[in-house]
Amino acid sequence: MLRKNLSASRLARVGVFGLLTITSAVIFTIDAAEARRHRRHHAHHRVQRDVSESSSPKFASIIVDGNSGAVLQASSPDAIRHPASLTKIMTLYLLFERLESGKMKLDTEMPVSKHAADQDPTKLNLRAGQTIRVEDAIKGLVTRSANDAAVVIAEAIAGDEDDFAQMMTRKARALGMSKTVYRNANGLPNDEQVTTARDQATLGRAIQERFPRYYRYFATSTFNWRGQSIRNHNHLLGSVEGVDGIKTGYTRASGFNLVTSMRRGNRHLIGVVLGGRSGGSRDAIMRNLLAENLDKGATVHTVAAVTERNGADTATDVAAASDTPPARHAPQVQAAAAPAPESAPSRLAARLSTLAAATAAVPPAPTKPEISKPEVRPTESKIEPAPLTNGVISSQPLSIIPGSSEPMKPVRVKTVQVKAGPVKVASAAPAPVQV
């Protein structure tokens, strides 16, 4: 009896254990299926969000192969957009030029003007009368995107922000950024400050090819400034393998912008996203674009470096980008204001011009030179137009006047008798003739 009870208990335990195992397996399977469904759901919504982002009227993007120069992906790459703080990439490009040439150094102290201190946030809260080192200003731009520091750089280089903006536009033209116009050094709202995704990709390539030593500042993750620890706004740094920079930007007019450089293995991609709806969605789109195009990238560097055109060649392009209407020529203004009365020499010149035109319509005799020749030999001086005197044309040979060249002569004619007796008939002859 005891054995039977033990056996039954054993069987019950086995049954319970088996039931628990089966139940656990079923629950695990359901959870796994639910997790897959959840991932698919979020992936679907991510795709939908990306599609919605791409349909935004502000959206534009491009992925360029840094090794071959080929465009791997593009969406409205040449559409006009506002750069926002991507503007500071060009500000730093011009600063790196000064550092490379030795005209400025990393420890150079730059003065802070009232205009620079008055810039809207984000900024380092610089005060007028202070100074800031070049290296600190660089780090302030690449991390916090400091608007006041950008103006300090502009004034240190050009003396005036407006003049610096013209330098920026000239440099853009020299680099082949044909649709970019700068009006300030930091990217604060200005309707006339415009760019394209393609132009920003060109600048992103150029700044790291030209200044590899200084480009490393774009990878600064944290900047310690007067007791503050400032983190970089570019959240792809440290979160996406191979990303080494470069810059974010945002204004209400531009949306959320990002230029990114990624090196992974032997491949190098430059990506641009403009007009994102939020910082998070902009970053997600950039991650997807980089991942989708990485395998398409070349593994050998073959493209030539971005070169600058001669400064003189860009003057016309920069003038065309200006909003200042071209000045009128003085003669045109005077003519429009009050036309001068026609003088006697002017009337004479007009008559000579008409005479010459009429003469040109009739081919001259072979032995007669053309009157319109600018140079006349001394032997032909007798057929030159008379010099301008007091408004009267000096006598000239009739041969140069259109029509018959023969003078009028008297002609003898016969008359018919109609009555007896002589009849006097008037004629053009010098004397009457009887017949």
Side-chain angles (χ1 to χ4, degrees):
M1 186 68 182
L2 183 59
R3 274 183 205 161
K4 290 181 180 180
N5 290 337
L6 290 173
S7 178
S9 177
R10 218 180 273 119
L11 288 173
R13 285 197 300 271
V14 170
V16 170
F17 180 76
L19 182 61
L20 288 174
T21 302
I22 294 171
T23 303
S24 298
V26 171
I27 292 173
F28 178 79
T29 303
I30 292 173
D31 287 347
E34 180 64 21
R36 285 195 299 271
R37 188 192 68 78
H38 187 71
R39 285 196 297 271
R40 285 197 300 269
H41 175 76
H42 279 276
H44 173 74
H45 277 277
R46 186 180 68 242
V47 171
Q48 290 298 106
R49 180 186 62 201
D50 292 351
V51 170
S52 174
E53 197 86 20
S54 301
S55 64
S56 167
K58 297 179 181 178
F59 184 83
S61 67
I62 191 170
I63 300 292
V64 176
D65 187 341
N67 285 330
S68 68
V71 175
L72 305 180
Q73 184 278 343
S75 175
S76 304
D78 298 308
I80 297 299
R81 301 288 185 263
H82 296 295
S85 283
L86 300 186
T87 297
K88 297 181 178 77
I89 302 175
M90 180 60 83
T91 300
L92 289 171
Y93 188 102
L94 295 181
L95 177 60
F96 293 167
E97 277 190 334
R98 299 308 188 276
L99 292 171
E100 188 181 62
S101 65
K103 294 179 181 178
M104 299 178 74
K105 296 181 179 180
L106 290 173
D107 59 358
T108 298
E109 295 284 347
M110 299 181 293
V112 180
S113 69
K114 185 178 185 302
H115 173 62
D118 288 343
Q119 296 300 300
D120 292 333
T122 58
K123 57 184 184 177
L124 297 177
N125 295 315
L126 302 173
R127 295 193 299 273
Q130 293 180 331
T131 61
I132 181 173
R133 292 192 320 140
V134 166
E135 186 171 25
D136 289 335
I138 293 172
K139 291 178 179 179
L141 262 65
V142 300
T143 56
R144 178 165 285 182
S145 196
N147 294 321
D148 50 0
V151 174
V152 169
I153 292 171
E155 293 176 340
I157 293 175
D160 177 83
E161 188 180 12
D162 290 339
D163 292 341
F164 186 75
Q166 293 181 23
M167 293 174 60
M168 296 169 74
T169 303
R170 283 196 297 270
K171 185 61 67 176
R173 294 295 180 277
L175 292 171
M177 300 166 64
S178 61
K179 295 186 177 181
T180 297
V181 176
Y182 293 105
R183 295 301 187 210
N184 59 49
N186 48 30
L188 284 173
N190 187 310
D191 291 342
E192 296 174 354
Q193 186 141 306
V194 295
T195 191
T196 66
R198 191 187 305 276
D199 281 0
Q200 289 302 308
T202 298
L203 181 58
R205 271 189 60 203
I207 197 168
Q208 54 190 299
E209 291 173 353
R210 174 83 184 276
F211 311 107
R213 175 185 174 188
Y214 300 110
Y215 173 73
R216 64 184 174 85
Y217 282 109
F218 285 102
T220 303
S221 59
T222 305
F223 170 42
N224 294 316
W225 170 251
R226 296 178 179 175
Q228 302 178 58
S229 182
I230 301 172
R231 296 192 61 187
N232 199 311
H233 289 173
N234 186 356
H235 298 150
L236 268 61
L237 279 171
S239 65
V240 176
E241 180 188 352
V243 169
D244 56 21
I246 57 178
K247 191 74 187 68
T248 63
Y250 169 77
T251 63
R252 184 173 297 177
S254 72
F256 290 84
N257 299 342
L258 177 62
V259 177
T260 295
S261 171
M262 184 180 76
R263 299 176 188 272
R264 190 180 295 178
N266 295 327
R267 292 182 169 87
H268 178 207
L269 301 182
I270 296 99
V272 180
V273 169
L274 305 179
R277 295 186 184 276
S278 69
S281 64
R282 170 202 64 193
D283 294 347
I285 290 173
M286 181 64 80
R287 286 191 189 96
N288 292 339
L289 290 175
L290 293 174
E292 292 168 3
N293 291 281
L294 181 62
D295 292 338
K296 302 176 186 177
T299 57
V300 179
H301 188 84
T302 57
V303 67
V306 178
T307 57
E308 296 184 15
R309 294 163 54 195
N310 186 284
D313 296 337
T314 64
T316 302
D317 294 338
V318 175
S322 173
D323 62 343
T324 304
R328 295 180 180 178
H329 297 293
Q332 293 177 343
V333 174
Q334 293 174 358
E342 189 178 5
S343 63
S346 299
R347 290 195 300 270
L348 177 59
R351 291 172 183 171
L352 286 176
S353 176
T354 304
L355 183 61
T359 305
V362 181
T367 57
K368 300 286 185 178
E370 294 180 4
I371 190 169
S372 60
K373 279 190 177 182
E375 296 182 3
V376 184
R377 293 187 297 272
T379 56
E380 298 169 338
S381 60
K382 63 180 182 178
I383 62 170
E384 288 184 10
L388 299 181
T389 55
N390 59 353
V392 180
I393 302 178
S394 301
S395 59
Q396 301 177 45
L398 293 175
S399 59
I400 69 168
I401 301 176
S404 173
S405 61
E406 297 296 328
M408 296 182 65
K409 297 180 181 179
V411 180
R412 293 178 178 272
V413 297
K414 293 182 178 181
T415 57
V416 180
Q417 282 186 338
V418 292
K419 291 184 180 180
V423 179
K424 294 183 180 179
V425 180
S427 70
V433 178
Q434 290 183 347
V435 296

